[in-house]
Amino acid sequence: MKKLSIFIAIAGVVSLASCDKKLDLQNPQAIDAEVAFSTSDKVKKVLAGNYSSLGDGSLFGGDALWMSELMASGGDLNWVGTFPDPRQIWGKTIQTNNTYVAATYSAAYRVIFNSNNILAHIDVVDPADKTRVTAEAKFLRALAYFELIKYFGEKPFFAGSPATLKGVPLITAPGPTTPLDDFYKLPRASVDAVYQQIIADLTDAETNLPADNGYYANKPSASLALARVYLQQDKFAEARDAANRCINVATVNGFTLVGSYASAFNNDENTTEDLFAVQVTSQAGTNSCFTFFSTDTYGARDGDIEVTDAHYNKYSVLDNRRNLFFFEAGAWRCGKWRDVYKNVKVMRLAEAYLTRAECNQRLSTSVGATVASDLHQTRGRAGLVLLAAPTLQQILDERELELAFEGQGLWDAKRLRLTVDGNAWNADKMTFPIPLRERNVNANLSQNPGYN
Amino acid sequence: MRKLKLLVLSSILLLTQQLWAQNKTVTGKVTDSRDGSPVVGASIVIKGTTTGTVSGADGSFSLSVPNGTKKLVITGVGFEAQDVSVEGSSIQVSMKPQEARNLDEVIVTGYGSQVKRDVTSVIAKVKGSEVQNMPVADLSQTLQGRAAGVFVEAQNGKIGEGIKIRVRGSSTLNGSNEPLYVVDGVPLVGGVYGSASSDINFNDVESFDILKDASAAAIYGSRAANGVVLITTKKGKAGKTRFTLNTQYGVQNPTNKREFLNAAEYIELFTEAAINTAKYHYNRAGNWRGYASEAAAITDMTNYVRGRFNRYSGHSSWQNLETNTNWQDQAFNDDAGIGLIELSASGGNDKSKFYISGSINKQDGILIANKFKRMSLRFNFDNQLTNWLKVGLNMSLAKTERQRVSDDNAFNTPMQLVALAPITPLRNLDGVLYNTPTTTYYNGLIDVEDAKNHANGYRNQGNIFFESRIAKGLTLRNELGIDLVNQSDERFWGSRTDGGAGIGGAAWAQWFRNMRLVTNNYFSYLTSINEKHKIDATLGMSFENRYDEYSFVQGENFADETITTLEGAGTITDGTTTHDENNFLSYFGRVNYSLNRKYLLSLSARADADSRFGTNNKYGLFPAASIGWIMSDESFMKGAQWLSFLKLRASYGITGNNTGLGFYSARSAYGSVKYAVDGGGLGITNFGNDDLRWEKVATADLGFEFGLFNNRVTGEFSWYNKKTTDMLLAVPTPSPSGTTTILANIGEMENKGVEFSLNTTNISSKDFKWTTALNIARNKNKVLKLDGNQKEILPTSARFANAVIIGQPIGIFYGVKYAGADPANGDPLYYLQDGKTTTNVYGDAGQFIIGDPNPDWIGGINNTFTWKGLELNVLFQGVFGNQVQDGGGGFMSASADWFDNQTRDQLQRWKTPGQITQVPEARLNRFGDFESPAISTRYVYDASYVRLKNITLAYNVPQRVASKIKLSNARIYISGVNLLTFTDYPGWDPEVNTDYRSGNINQGSDFYAAPQIKSIVVGLSIGL
């Protein structure tokens, strides 16, 4: 019996040593969701993390830019890569199960999810940082909604009655913690409602963001974002004023165009011209414009996107922007996206001058500066002569060349009512479909016209 | 006087019993019929009781038996049991070595063992001796074709890499479908690469016992849903120490090579394709390039293709056919060497026994730069310390060294060399390997010269145990086991390679350590009441802790490319370390009851608590029951002389699968997010679910086992129905929730099948013996439910068609049906949804079930012929009714769509109106005027095959000759693996699943996958 008791004791000790406490193990690489919003520092870290969400490859890490350009190619770009999904975007033959389209939709809502959670826990943040954290969270949310409404809204804002045009689901506060909750089966809000939310967020951001904020959101980037929003609404005066505020705040805070056009690109760090850029390093961040525009010589893929001779020839031989193109693997390549691990430019100061010039021209005003002088900001740098009395078309042409392949292609094409590859600006095929996967899980989500 | 004695029933199964009565003493000696040498440790039991003794070092025994005892049963490991009459007081027993499987075979069950006759569950046994010295790297490959319902598939011919095993089909979409491996009581875990089972020297294995039904496996609870492979290593045998020296040497080659275009054919086909493209563009694609005439288009295209030929032919002249490179041959190592050297010793006395071995197994891959080497040591030891306590140790240390090659979809993997043009010379005039733009794609041979891909793994596996006899029939076994895996994986790419170009060379190193500690503590109780009721009970607990550590460093800009460690990197670009932990607490029990050894019942249950389960489901319970009826022992069956044995059995039980859950899947978590150089913050890394739990598999099994003509024919049949519920799925969620999926236990799947095995002794004469072992199995998998809304998960790739569709088997091919080339114009045609009319627009084609990667039937037939000292063993293995899709077809069998070299069958392309062919007109897709070929039945093939899996011809030197040269035995053999393959599959090899995408759903895919290894070796095994 003595032996038996020894063994039972051994077995008992072993069993006790492994009591239930050991069954609750924390992931050493993570903290629980509730803990992440428990202190001011942690909430601010979640905000910093949301820039990474914004810089997701499917969003401002590149896709949101090149998809706009491919769709607006109009003979300027060729997709020659093997991936069928970008080819659909290029050909305006998008299937509802296009994975790039679905990924961009989801990535935008992740940014919104993060911002909503930050804003819901804003009271945890130190009073000194509260306004700025709020403004940054709203800035990021607005940028995400703006991409969503442009790509997925039924039609552009000015294509009909924005109050009845279908936009995207609008969610501005955290919902239940169970993602399968019916709460998330949201219907599409109107285009107008989404734009109102974007303008409200950006206005708050513009008011409360610091003029200079490192590589995080700053006041002039919020102004330029607002200018973009107003342009999409055909509100030229508001756009002009926002661009003007952008330039005014930027220029007194050290922002200025860099000396040469080439040096505005392929940068590790923001230049004085970058109002806002997604930061890419060898260790973090994605630049999918590089992946698809550049070539294997530079560590990219095989050069999936080619620049056509037609586009190349749009630059006069005197225009030094032409020199940024490089010929590789049988075609012209866009040098803006040549090198690996470089930032993705989201907003450059140059655009503000072009927007102000265009709006002043349209409104026959000269708020901030004359049209000619604004236009010469970029033309002059490109080595072109001053246009004393530029026409609207000249301004738009200049805008096309200066901002080529930086993501504004489709939005400018639409607001300028251009026909792209035979598709009218308001054609059904010029809008993305609501992704099939979203409609599969949300019966309240209607499809855009022309898709099923 | 009451005297206690320990009874060893076998060296694997240790049970205790007391000897009660003594009326008469019987003595005797047990010898080996082959050479008359003593058999040590044979058990001598009074028939119908459990009373007995064991033979000593000289084979002798002494046993007290009650008066009136008529028979003794003598059993010994490796010998056939026999009954001897008690006549007089001295008995001479000559034991015949065990040959055919018989009912007294010991079957290892979880935490115990049982003789085959009494087993009511379904367990397939493969003896180590059957697979000994098979020239393959991984022990799971040795099981191929040998056990009913056990499907084994090597993904490709890379050495020591992924091998898929399915016991009775696939039970999960997102978890692992591999069985649980348990080596001497310690579960085996994988590392970051390679298969865990390749770390084990299978020549050390005594037996593989594959637990297939729920009744057998439920004792392993939440990890048993895919069956359990119990691996028992060799133990020492008492007696003179036996040394065995084992050597083997041979060569390996691919099972098959494909035919590609030679230089002349390449030039011809692509010139033709260029002209066709020009015509197509001018006449049918709107001539948007604006050629002045068809002739102008042809001139332009001809110049274009000639430009390419100029580029691709490097320093040589393609016009004069100066170069005709066979790039496929460059991928392979002809007659790659394989070798084995091994020394083992086994021996001991009635108290202590040991088995030690050391081996080196070296294989050069059939692919260039692919190598495998395993060095292993084993030490198994046990000692009967006192009459109640036995202690022991089973320990192994193995090192595997691998030179690995990239996944099949990488440009630098050797097999992708076949894409390069035959007009391209290997090297330029300076002797330097050509690269792009001279080669069509990156030249993977540069990796052989300038890259390294070395991986080393160390595995220390084993346990110590204490086995105590506490009271009559009651023992306690305490085990403490470890499985410690250390792996390093170091890679380097020189600046000339595609991995290192533009960044001055690159390297990374990953280090991984996995430590698993296991303790098993269980009581076994064996008793019989009135010799009528026999009870064998087990009750215990187990606790496991698993701790994984991982680190990773990556760098670029190497100062000097001879310094390939990360010390040589100018920039460290990435690095991380992670730790992960899992705890697992279990209680288990089992009762086997038999009434008159005729009516059998087994009940078992296990409760598992796993730290990965959600807080709402901390414990899972896995019960099982089985019954058996040995009908042949009934009096009403006695008349049927021909029927020597018949057992009916039925079982039902629940097992689980925890592998679909990550260690922390249940918890919502925020982790570090990197941003910018100095930025970064927190981001949500997991959306948790407190309800997460194991997947549940309920299995019902009905079967019978039979023996005919005095068990000269034995066999087994099983029917099963295995239903998975609570299957884990990443359930799609609306994006506004912040995530696109959430893991939940929601899906359902089933596997129904039958298994049949038959063992016959066809001829058994004095000198010649012929036995056959046959097994066949059919499994039908069906997905029953996804998340409740989804009806299907459709293919996401243009190259592959694997889908999940409710009502269909997992990974079914769903896609477009190809209708051949349009006889009128050579366009590829596809069927519309009506299945009759055709279209030349791929996107308009209908979607159909176009194939199934899951075989309908699998089987094996093993014939063994022995004639005097000669032994011939022939194993054929077959897989039937499955299809394979060749995802590489869209590149290499694509009617010259791009400049990839084409398979020779593309010469059958359409050329003249009215021509009926499957190969469309050759057209180079320069302008994107038409779609490049994507997946359709054009690239789906029947992949049934029958293979001569293993053939061994051996000669055992006669004892008298061997002893003259002071050897106890000597065996010389020649053995081949995969020497013949019979199949209609046109690719390299029908046994394939390309590694870069292989998974539960992605099965039956070929994509430049290396063919299987065909090897032939000669070997010598001598015993001292």
Side-chain angles (χ1 to χ4, degrees):
Chain A
M1 282 318 285
K2 194 180 162 198
K3 274 187 295 177
L4 182 63
S5 46
I6 291 169
F7 289 113
I8 290 171
I10 291 172
V13 167
V14 174
S15 309
L16 281 176
S18 49
C19 60
D20 266 14
K21 254 187 258 171
K22 293 212 166 180
L23 295 169
D24 186 26
L25 293 177
Q26 171 71 47
N27 182 350
Q29 279 74 240
I31 55 175
D32 281 346
E34 311 82 70
V35 180
F37 293 98
S38 60
T39 69
S40 175
D41 279 350
K42 287 194 169 71
V43 175
K44 284 191 267 180
K45 286 291 183 191
V46 176
L47 174 68
N50 203 17
Y51 284 89
S52 169
S53 296
L54 189 85
D56 188 284
S58 300
L59 203 58
F60 287 101
D63 291 5
L65 280 62
W66 63 254
M67 291 194 303
S68 159
E69 298 297 343
L70 268 191
M71 204 159 179
S73 66
D76 285 17
L77 294 179
N78 286 331
W79 175 270
V80 297
T82 52
F83 295 163
D85 291 8
R87 187 181 303 136
Q88 290 172 6
I89 295 169
W90 176 53
K92 273 73 72 183
T93 54
I94 302 170
Q95 305 291 307
T96 56
N97 64 356
N98 188 297
T99 53
Y100 286 79
V101 168
T104 297
Y105 186 90
S106 303
Y109 277 107
R110 171 58 68 84
V111 174
I112 293 162
F113 168 88
N114 290 336
S115 282
N116 288 346
N117 273 296
I118 294 160
L119 293 170
H121 294 89
I122 198 69
D123 289 339
V124 178
V125 177
D126 296 338
D129 294 323
K130 215 163 164 175
T131 348
R132 177 185 59 81
V133 170
T134 306
E136 286 189 46
K138 287 185 173 179
F139 173 86
L140 297 171
R141 182 166 73 181
L143 255 51
Y145 270 123
F146 192 37
E147 292 310 298
L148 283 172
I149 196 66
K150 285 186 296 181
Y151 275 117
F152 297 95
E154 184 179 353
K155 297 280 168 186
F157 184 88
F158 40 77
S161 162
T164 52
L165 285 173
K166 292 193 194 85
V168 292
L170 198 52
I171 177 169
T172 53
T177 52
T178 323
L180 286 170
D181 197 289
D182 281 347
F183 171 87
Y184 292 110
K185 295 182 177 171
L186 296 163
R188 297 172 68 174
S190 71
V191 167
D192 191 47
V194 177
Y195 268 99
Q196 280 183 30
Q197 181 64 41
I198 295 166
I199 290 168
D201 277 348
L202 284 178
T203 306
D204 186 328
E206 189 188 27
T207 311
N208 293 314
L209 281 172
D212 192 351
N213 195 17
Y215 42 71
Y216 297 123
N218 54 28
K219 194 185 283 283
S221 61
S223 306
L224 186 56
L226 263 179
R228 286 182 177 181
V229 172
Y230 289 130
L231 281 182
Q232 288 304 312
Q233 297 184 319
D234 276 353
K235 292 178 179 167
F236 298 111
E238 288 88 337
R240 174 199 61 198
D241 295 344
N244 186 46
R245 292 195 300 275
C246 167
I247 294 164
N248 288 344
V249 173
T251 48
V252 299
N253 282 285
F255 291 98
T256 175
L257 298 195
V258 295
S260 79
Y261 187 67
S263 60
F265 303 98
N266 298 303
N267 312 115
D268 293 324
E269 290 177 15
N270 286 2
T271 68
T272 55
E273 185 170 336
D274 288 318
L275 302 179
F276 186 71
V278 168
Q279 306 297 304
V280 178
T281 69
S282 60
Q283 307 190 19
T286 307
N287 181 344
S288 69
C289 288
F290 159 77
T291 311
F292 295 124
F293 274 105
S294 189
T295 62
D296 47 358
T297 311
Y298 297 94
R301 286 172 47 84
D302 298 346
D304 294 321
I305 301 176
E306 296 178 351
V307 176
T308 61
D309 293 352
H311 178 82
Y312 180 74
N313 290 326
K314 285 179 176 172
Y315 300 83
S316 90
V317 289
L318 299 173
D319 190 332
N320 60 35
R321 291 178 295 209
R322 183 178 162 123
N323 302 333
L324 195 54
F325 293 93
F326 62 105
F327 198 86
E328 274 265 343
W332 290 109
R333 307 288 165 183
C334 173
K336 291 179 178 178
W337 308 113
R338 192 190 65 185
D339 292 345
V340 66
Y341 306 141
K342 302 300 178 192
N343 289 351
V344 183
K345 312 286 172 170
V346 177
M347 287 183 245
R348 287 194 292 122
L349 180 59
E351 181 185 336
Y353 289 111
L354 290 163
T355 300
R356 187 168 72 178
E358 179 189 336
C359 297
N360 270 328
Q361 177 78 3
R362 287 178 185 273
L363 300 166
S364 303
T365 54
S366 42
V367 172
T370 64
V371 172
S373 93
D374 272 350
L375 190 63
H376 197 62
Q377 291 280 351
T378 53
R379 278 181 57 90
R381 178 170 67 174
L384 301 175
V385 295
L386 179 81
L387 292 175
T391 64
L392 179 61
Q393 192 53 51
Q394 282 173 323
I395 298 167
L396 296 176
D397 288 347
E398 169 61 17
R399 183 180 175 92
E400 183 194 349
L401 300 186
E402 173 68 23
L403 302 180
F405 312 133
E406 291 180 61
Q408 297 306 302
L410 185 61
W411 320 128
D412 282 342
K414 285 190 178 188
R415 69 182 182 86
L416 299 171
R417 287 24 171 209
L418 302 181
T419 292
V420 177
D421 298 318
N423 298 280
W425 61 275
N426 58 355
D428 292 346
K429 295 293 179 191
M430 292 286 278
T431 296
F432 278 2
I434 298 293
L436 179 66
R437 68 162 308 283
E438 298 296 331
R439 298 191 66 226
N440 282 344
V441 294
N442 179 359
N444 299 323
L445 213 50
S446 57
Q447 186 52 282
N448 279 331
Y451 295 99
N452 48 39
Chain B
M1 195 179 113
R2 298 174 69 169
K3 196 175 160 192
L4 225 55
K5 268 194 174 177
L6 185 72
L7 170 64
V8 179
L9 279 177
S10 78
S11 67
I12 301 161
L13 164 63
L14 297 151
L15 296 169
T16 61
Q17 193 51 278
Q18 274 183 308
L19 181 62
W20 295 90
Q22 51 173 213
N23 299 88
K24 171 184 173 187
T25 301
V26 178
T27 59
K29 189 173 179 187
V30 187
T31 54
D32 187 331
S33 69
R34 286 169 294 192
D35 54 9
S37 64
V39 174
V40 186
S43 101
I44 298 97
V45 179
I46 300 167
K47 186 156 188 176
T49 72
T50 51
T51 309
T53 185
V54 292
S55 59
D58 59 352
S60 65
F61 65 91
S62 168
L63 178 65
S64 297
V65 300
N67 283 331
T69 300
K70 295 218 169 80
K71 294 252 177 181
L72 298 179
V73 181
I74 321 290
T75 53
V77 174
F79 294 98
E80 288 187 354
Q82 54 176 296
D83 292 3
V84 292
S85 301
V86 181
E87 285 165 3
S89 58
S90 179
I91 299 168
Q92 297 302 315
V93 187
S94 179
M95 300 288 283
K96 282 188 190 149
Q98 199 169 48
E99 285 163 349
R101 290 149 196 280
N102 65 44
L103 299 168
D104 297 314
E105 195 170 51
V106 175
I107 303 294
V108 182
T109 60
Y111 311 101
S113 62
Q114 249 184 319
V115 292
K116 174 90 175 144
R117 185 186 184 282
D118 295 343
V119 171
T120 50
S121 53
V122 189
I123 301 174
K125 188 178 190 77
V126 176
K127 288 184 207 154
S129 57
E130 293 176 54
V131 305
Q132 183 101 10
N133 291 326
M134 197 171 160
V136 293
D138 191 308
L139 68 81
S140 45
Q141 284 169 288
T142 68
L143 300 177
Q144 202 169 16
R146 293 187 201 269
V150 180
F151 175 65
V152 181
E153 175 186 277
Q155 288 173 350
N156 51 35
K158 295 173 186 170
I159 288 190
E161 302 284 342
I163 293 171
K164 169 167 110 182
I165 295 205
R166 296 286 180 271
V167 177
R168 297 183 161 186
S170 302
S171 66
T172 175
L173 281 180
N174 287 307
S176 165
N177 276 308
E178 299 291 316
L180 174 70
Y181 286 90
V182 178
V183 182
D184 291 330
V186 183
L188 197 63
V189 287
V192 283
Y193 62 79
S195 59
S197 46
S198 65
D199 289 344
I200 293 173
N201 175 14
F202 53 83
N203 279 355
D204 287 338
V205 173
E206 178 68 34
S207 71
F208 303 90
D209 293 88
I210 304 163
L211 314 183
K212 295 197 285 189
D213 72 336
S215 170
I219 196 92
Y220 285 99
S222 63
R223 297 183 293 190
N226 300 313
V228 182
V229 180
L230 298 177
I231 296 171
T232 308
T233 59
K234 288 178 179 168
K235 305 298 184 291
K237 287 172 193 151
K240 183 173 168 267
T241 300
R242 288 174 78 99
F243 290 92
T244 306
L245 176 68
N246 200 1
T247 62
Q248 189 180 83
Y249 183 74
V251 293
Q252 307 165 96
N253 282 294
T255 49
N256 182 30
K257 285 188 182 177
R258 297 193 73 170
E259 287 191 40
F260 287 87
L261 302 182
N262 63 28
E265 290 161 343
Y266 182 86
I267 291 165
E268 177 199 327
L269 186 68
F270 280 92
T271 307
E272 180 185 315
I275 294 167
N276 291 337
T277 299
K279 291 179 180 166
Y280 189 94
H281 182 79
Y282 187 81
N283 299 312
R284 296 180 61 190
N287 187 27
W288 54 265
R289 296 271 298 192
Y291 290 116
S293 63
E294 187 187 277
I298 290 172
T299 306
D300 178 59
M301 274 306 297
T302 308
N303 288 337
Y304 173 75
V305 79
R306 283 180 182 162
R308 287 281 178 152
F309 293 159
N310 290 337
R311 194 175 120 187
Y312 294 153
S313 55
H315 63 77
S316 66
S317 155
W318 58 271
Q319 290 91 339
N320 298 335
L321 298 176
E322 280 178 11
T323 300
N324 186 16
T325 305
N326 185 332
W327 287 98
Q328 181 179 215
D329 286 349
Q330 296 298 319
F332 293 115
N333 229 340
D334 282 337
D335 290 338
I338 174 171
L340 166 75
I341 182 157
E342 184 176 74
L343 181 66
S344 66
S346 158
N349 53 36
D350 54 350
K351 286 247 166 24
S352 299
K353 298 179 188 70
F354 73 95
Y355 169 85
I356 59 173
S357 80
S359 81
I360 298 176
N361 178 320
K362 206 174 158 192
Q363 292 191 35
D364 287 343
I366 55 168
L367 292 177
I368 45 168
N370 185 203
K371 287 182 179 167
F372 177 85
K373 186 178 175 186
R374 177 179 59 225
M375 287 166 281
S376 78
L377 298 174
R378 173 164 289 279
F379 179 48
N380 289 355
F381 172 77
D382 60 71
N383 182 269
Q384 190 72 43
L385 269 182
T386 70
N387 65 353
W388 59 270
L389 178 63
K390 181 173 169 177
V391 297
L393 166 79
N394 302 305
M395 195 59 69
S396 73
L397 179 64
K399 180 187 184 193
T400 48
E401 288 176 17
R402 289 172 161 93
Q403 274 189 42
R404 307 176 71 219
V405 293
S406 303
D407 281 352
D408 296 334
N409 62 336
F411 281 126
N412 65 356
T413 203
M415 290 300 288
Q416 289 220 4
L417 288 171
V418 302
L420 306 188
I423 57 173
T424 307
L426 278 181
R427 293 173 189 277
N428 69 17
L429 294 173
D430 297 327
V432 178
L433 285 169
Y434 272 119
N435 194 2
T436 50
T438 307
T439 53
T440 322
Y441 301 104
Y442 174 70
N443 180 354
L445 292 172
I446 296 171
D447 260 45
V448 178
E449 292 186 355
D450 281 10
K452 286 186 180 175
N453 186 344
H454 290 189
N456 287 330
Y458 299 84
R459 183 181 289 265
N460 189 190
Q461 226 255 0
N463 66 358
I464 53 170
F465 66 87
F466 299 86
E467 196 171 85
S468 324
R469 201 173 50 74
I470 296 166
K472 183 195 162 196
L474 179 65
T475 53
L476 169 65
R477 190 173 163 103
N478 301 92
E479 294 176 347
L480 181 64
I482 58 159
D483 183 17
L484 172 61
V485 187
N486 266 292
Q487 289 185 329
S488 64
D489 181 6
E490 300 202 14
R491 308 210 186 166
F492 172 79
W493 297 270
S495 56
R496 217 154 54 96
T497 66
D498 68 341
I503 46 178
W508 52 257
Q510 38 176 356
W511 287 75
F512 174 81
R513 177 163 61 206
N514 172 296
M515 175 74 171
R516 178 179 289 215
L517 279 173
V518 188
T519 176
N520 298 317
N521 305 282
Y522 57 96
F523 294 95
S524 302
Y525 183 64
L526 184 69
T527 190
S528 60
I529 303 163
N530 303 332
E531 295 184 13
K532 202 175 167 191
H533 309 278
K534 192 181 157 204
I535 294 167
D536 169 4
T538 304
L539 182 69
M541 62 79 61
S542 161
F543 180 75
E544 277 186 44
N545 170 265
R546 174 173 164 180
Y547 198 74
D548 291 355
E549 294 162 273
Y550 173 78
S551 65
F552 172 78
V553 187
Q554 178 176 286
E556 297 175 358
N557 292 316
F558 279 73
D560 187 298
E561 297 202 353
T562 54
I563 304 169
T564 60
T565 53
L566 279 146
E567 182 63 23
T571 335
I572 296 296
T573 50
D574 202 359
T576 187
T577 64
T578 60
H579 296 172
D580 291 291
E581 192 174 10
N582 176 237
N583 281 332
F584 196 81
L585 172 66
S586 312
Y587 301 94
F588 52 85
R590 178 177 53 214
V591 179
N592 295 328
Y593 169 75
S594 87
L595 176 63
N596 294 332
R597 276 201 100 190
K598 253 190 316 198
Y599 308 105
L600 312 167
L601 169 72
S602 175
L603 299 172
S604 70
R606 180 169 177 130
D608 279 340
D610 186 335
S611 60
R612 74 185 89 187
F613 298 157
T615 49
N616 297 343
N617 289 293
K618 270 299 175 196
Y619 273 87
L621 182 68
F622 304 92
S626 58
I627 50 170
W629 176 26
I630 300 181
M631 219 170 132
S632 51
D633 281 8
E634 295 292 352
S635 51
F636 62 81
M637 295 293 288
K638 290 295 181 202
Q641 285 295 326
W642 53 275
L643 182 71
S644 32
F645 182 72
L646 179 64
K647 175 166 73 186
L648 306 184
R649 53 171 163 70
S651 74
Y652 181 79
I654 309 290
T655 52
N657 187 345
N658 67 351
T659 56
L661 294 174
F663 288 174
Y664 315 107
S665 298
R667 305 170 79 117
S668 281
Y670 276 69
S672 153
V673 172
K674 295 185 182 74
Y675 187 69
V677 179
D678 53 351
L682 291 167
I684 189 157
T685 50
N686 189 52
F687 285 78
N689 176 353
D690 289 338
D691 292 329
L692 283 181
R693 60 194 177 275
W694 56 95
E695 299 176 314
K696 193 169 144 187
V697 176
T699 308
D701 204 294
L702 288 174
F704 60 89
E705 294 164 28
F706 61 92
L708 305 175
F709 316 118
N710 203 17
N711 291 339
R712 192 160 166 172
V713 175
T714 59
E716 203 170 322
F717 172 85
S718 290
W719 167 92
Y720 60 87
N721 184 350
K722 212 174 149 181
K723 185 175 176 190
T724 309
T725 53
D726 287 353
M727 188 165 69
L728 285 163
L729 273 173
V731 179
T733 57
S735 288
S737 67
T739 181
T740 53
T741 59
I742 178 97
L743 200 58
N745 295 82
I746 200 164
E748 293 177 10
M749 182 144 74
E750 72 170 21
N751 288 278
K752 285 182 182 169
V754 290
E755 292 167 352
F756 178 69
S757 59
L758 187 71
N759 299 295
T760 59
T761 304
N762 307 320
I763 296 175
S764 182
S765 67
K766 184 169 170 286
D767 288 332
F768 183 68
K769 189 166 181 183
W770 170 25
T771 59
T772 302
L774 166 83
N775 70 77
I776 53 173
R778 177 185 173 83
N779 184 70
K780 190 80 187 157
N781 175 282
K782 197 194 268 188
V783 178
L784 301 178
K785 182 187 166 196
L786 294 171
D787 66 358
N789 293 321
Q790 272 176 296
K791 291 189 175 54
E792 57 205 7
I793 301 170
L794 292 178
T796 51
S797 161
R799 298 173 194 159
F800 299 100
N802 294 105
V804 179
I805 299 172
I806 288 176
Q808 296 290 343
I810 181 172
I812 191 102
F813 300 163
Y814 185 71
V816 167
K817 275 188 184 165
Y818 180 59
D822 187 338
N825 59 13
D827 283 352
L829 292 179
Y830 306 98
Y831 286 106
L832 293 172
Q833 199 64 57
D834 66 7
K836 284 178 237 145
T837 37
T838 56
T839 173
N840 61 359
V841 181
Y842 179 84
D844 293 347
Q847 298 281 317
F848 304 90
I849 302 286
I850 57 170
D852 182 356
N854 304 284
D856 295 331
W857 291 94
I858 57 171
I861 180 166
N862 195 357
N863 278 289
T864 306
F865 307 88
T866 50
W867 182 70
K868 295 188 172 169
L870 277 176
E871 203 179 292
L872 175 67
N873 186 289
V874 185
L875 172 65
F876 280 95
Q877 165 250 343
V879 172
F880 309 94
N882 60 312
Q883 282 81 41
V884 163
Q885 47 188 337
D886 184 4
F891 300 104
M892 63 179 147
S893 308
S895 312
D897 185 71
W898 198 242
F899 289 97
D900 298 59
N901 197 11
Q902 301 287 295
T903 51
R904 271 193 98 237
D905 52 12
Q906 298 306 297
L907 292 175
Q908 309 305 316
R909 78 283 191 194
W910 182 94
K911 285 179 88 169
T912 49
Q915 186 183 349
I916 306 292
T917 175
Q918 290 299 302
V919 185
E921 186 181 49
R923 288 174 198 154
L924 194 62
N925 200 351
R926 186 186 173 197
F927 304 121
D929 288 341
F930 45 87
E931 284 202 82
S932 293
I935 184 66
S936 71
T937 52
R938 182 177 176 187
Y939 301 119
V940 175
Y941 307 101
D942 183 76
S944 302
Y945 71 89
V946 171
R947 179 168 268 170
L948 177 53
K949 189 72 216 168
N950 190 198
I951 180 167
T952 304
L953 178 65
Y955 178 64
N956 293 304
V957 175
Q959 196 68 48
R960 56 191 161 72
V961 179
S963 53
K964 271 183 197 156
I965 47 172
K966 303 271 186 263
L967 298 176
S968 64
N969 69 292
R971 175 183 166 93
I972 183 161
Y973 61 90
I974 177 162
S975 179
V977 167
N978 294 342
L979 293 187
L980 295 170
T981 304
F982 307 93
T983 183
D984 289 336
Y985 183 67
W988 276 283
D989 196 300
E991 181 183 348
V992 65
N993 193 18
T994 184
D995 50 17
Y996 84 94
R997 70 187 300 271
S998 78
N1000 296 334
I1001 300 167
N1002 294 337
Q1003 308 178 69
S1005 317
D1006 198 348
F1007 193 77
Y1008 301 91
Q1012 298 292 331
I1013 300 169
K1014 176 169 78 179
S1015 53
I1016 185 154
V1017 298
V1018 291
L1020 175 68
S1021 178
I1022 51 176
L1024 298 168

